[in-house]
Amino acid sequence: MGGFFGATSTRDVTLDIYFGVDYHSHLGTRRAGMIIHDQVDGFERQIHSIENTPFRTRFEEDLEKFHGQSGIGCISDTDPQPLLVRSRVGLYAITTVGAINNAEQLVEDYFNEGGKQSFMAMGSGKVNSTELVAALISQKDNLVDGIIFAQKVVQGSLTLLIMKDDGTIIAARDRMGRLPVLIGKDKSGHCVSLESFPYHKLDYDDEYELGPGEIVHITPTEYTTLVPAGGRMKICAFLWTYYGYPNSNYEGANVEVVRYRNGAIMAKNDAEAGTLPDVDYVAGVPDSGVPHAIGYSTESKKPFSRPFIKYTPTWARSFMPSNQEVRNHVAKMKQVPVPELIKDKKLLLVDDSIVRGTQLRETVDFLYGAGAKEVHMRSACPPIMFSCKYLSFSSSKSEMDLIARRVVQRLEGDEGHNHLDEYADSSTERGKCLLKTICEEMGFDSLGYQSLQGMLDSIGIDPEKVCTYCWDGRE
């Protein structure tokens, strides 16, 4: 995954870029970078690894050398960026977010069509995705045509920022609008961001939200649409369910409010179905499960509590390390129990999702080990049946990494994968069988998934504009 922040102004924006990028740190823990442009001194760039040191600490010593009226920066969970590029379409800085599933084919096509640029290869032999995008852009006569071409040939998604050598910024939202791109304004200029709350903290006001496929040119005094928005949008539902920051708004829907609503819908559905457990406490799996749990607690009138606290000051996010064993160990070490809220208690946990199930099983074992009498589980989204091919927010490399798909395979073999829609629906016999099997495997006393319709209702925007590929496989 990843995130970016940019600004162009009549004043120095170094601190805006520094804090604006830092506020995207929840979206990645591998690489980060900043490029600042000064009208006299030109570009200044710095890229660091943030795998062992938070962004703010890692870049603090660089602030003194940065100065300028424009800048872009990013958190990247893949390649080092932003990059400074000199090409036939000019000198510019670029940062990208998304997923390029056909990168190897695009590199091969580039060379076969006479491309003379060499790519810096990483240890795996793969090329830097942002460098590849720059090469694609350079095949056209100008930046805008190049962006359109790059977004057309990339299989996956591509959202980007470009800062030109005059300090102005071009922002391009993915053709299907899978991630948001928002523009803020203050008295001195404009900013552009994936999340909305960073620029609110920096005293920018909401100005504009790009539509799918829209390309905008941003200066200190104005923003101008260069390519209008397309008619079809598929914004990622997981923004609200999981990885979006609670303070942010996308398409007019606040993340925290959506999560409260999601939890309330689950509780209401449980009550109507007669499956609402008699528990002492409702608790959220930190962090993103907590607001879902608050909504469930409020609607069900069951007390909310925090039977275990996630210790975060010195731990990176557990889903980010590439090694599964390390992820599991980090997740385990984060969990600090409150024995008085666990021993002899019946608990209902709410999590944003159940992906592999490994860490959640350890959480359940941890709670039973601390004396819990019962542990019930609710997921704020339906069973995940497909690995995302549009954004790289999950490290799953195979659909067999997903607990729901593993269980389907175990129950029916290959034939079961022809009935995934039934397995995802807990009202069907196959759906009930999936719930029962996962319950037994994970050690839950009961298990419930939010329905696809319930999740979409909680988001509250036109369902046709929301990507649900992870659950139903629909493009």
Side-chain angles (χ1 to χ4, degrees), residues 321-332:
S322 58
N323 182 285
Q324 181 67 51
E325 184 178 351
V326 174
R327 280 199 302 273
N328 295 342
H329 188 67
V330 169
K332 179 180 179 181

Side-chain angles (χ1 to χ4, degrees), residues 100-162:
I100 305 179
N101 300 319
N102 60 333
E104 292 303 312
Q105 185 62 51
L106 290 174
V107 171
E108 186 176 330
D109 292 346
Y110 176 82
F111 289 130
N112 289 341
E113 293 168 8
K116 296 180 173 58
Q117 174 179 330
S118 296
F119 295 98
M120 297 296 293
M122 294 177 284
S124 63
K126 295 181 179 180
V127 303
N128 183 305
S129 295
T130 301
E131 186 179 2
L132 174 58
V133 171
L136 294 172
I137 290 173
S138 72
Q139 293 185 48
K140 299 300 178 181
D141 293 329
N142 58 71
L143 287 170
V144 175
D145 287 345
I147 293 169
I148 295 171
F149 171 70
Q151 289 186 322
K152 181 178 180 180
V153 298
V154 163
Q155 293 177 11
S157 69
L158 175 59
T159 297
L160 61 82
L161 292 183
I162 284 177

Side-chain angles (χ1 to χ4, degrees), residues 132-390:
L132 174 58
V133 171
L136 294 172
I137 290 173
S138 72
Q139 293 185 48
K140 299 300 178 181
D141 293 329
N142 58 71
L143 287 170
V144 175
D145 287 345
I147 293 169
I148 295 171
F149 171 70
Q151 289 186 322
K152 181 178 180 180
V153 298
V154 163
Q155 293 177 11
S157 69
L158 175 59
T159 297
L160 61 82
L161 292 183
I162 284 177
M163 181 169 60
K164 298 166 63 178
D165 60 0
D166 62 359
T168 62
I169 293 173
I170 294 176
R173 189 176 179 183
D174 172 72
R175 295 176 77 199
M176 299 302 294
R178 299 190 188 279
L179 290 175
V181 178
L182 304 111
I183 296 175
K185 180 181 181 180
D186 71 3
K187 62 183 179 181
S188 302
H190 290 94
C191 70
V192 58
S193 179
L194 191 151
E195 298 277 25
S196 62
F197 81 93
Y199 64 76
H200 292 152
K201 284 293 292 180
L202 292 165
D203 293 327
Y204 290 86
D205 295 321
D206 292 319
E207 182 69 6
Y208 186 66
E209 186 165 2
L210 275 66
E214 187 170 4
I215 302 176
V216 172
H217 183 233
I218 307 168
T219 74
T221 57
E222 63 180 1
Y223 64 91
T224 305
T225 294
L226 304 176
V227 176
R232 187 168 179 238
M233 180 167 69
K234 284 292 180 180
I235 187 170
C236 178
F238 259 125
L239 279 162
W240 290 280
T241 304
Y242 173 35
Y243 62 84
Y245 209 71
N247 312 75
S248 278
N249 296 275
Y250 319 116
E251 302 301 324
N254 174 261
V255 172
E256 186 81 348
V257 171
V258 165
R259 291 174 183 170
Y260 289 165
R261 196 155 54 221
N262 188 312
I265 290 171
M266 282 193 289
K268 183 179 180 181
N269 290 342
D270 269 348
E272 291 176 352
T275 56
L276 186 67
D278 180 20
V279 296
D280 296 298
Y281 298 118
V282 173
V285 178
D287 287 316
S288 47
V290 171
H292 296 294
I294 292 173
Y296 193 104
S297 168
T298 302
E299 177 67 25
S300 66
K301 297 180 173 54
K302 305 287 185 181
F304 174 81
S305 75
R306 296 198 297 164
F308 61 96
I309 312 298
K310 187 169 79 170
Y311 188 81
T312 57
T314 56
W315 291 104
R317 288 189 64 162
S318 59
F319 84 102
M320 290 298 186
S322 58
N323 182 285
Q324 181 67 51
E325 184 178 351
V326 174
R327 280 199 302 273
N328 295 342
H329 188 67
V330 169
K332 179 180 179 181
M333 295 305 294
K334 284 181 181 179
Q335 297 170 355
V336 183
V338 182
E340 293 80 359
L341 298 176
I342 300 175
K343 186 173 174 57
D344 298 325
K345 303 298 183 184
K346 293 182 286 185
L347 306 174
L348 185 145
L349 297 184
V350 185
D351 205 352
D352 53 67
S353 58
I354 302 175
V355 185
R356 299 173 191 83
T358 310
Q359 294 176 16
L360 198 53
R361 176 56 195 260
E362 292 189 352
T363 299
V364 174
D365 290 344
F366 155 78
L367 290 170
Y368 278 125
K373 189 175 181 180
E374 293 178 9
V375 178
H376 302 263
M377 186 68 213
R378 297 295 182 268
S379 168
C381 69
I384 299 173
M385 295 296 186
F386 300 89
S387 298
C388 178
K389 61 181 182 179
Y390 302 113

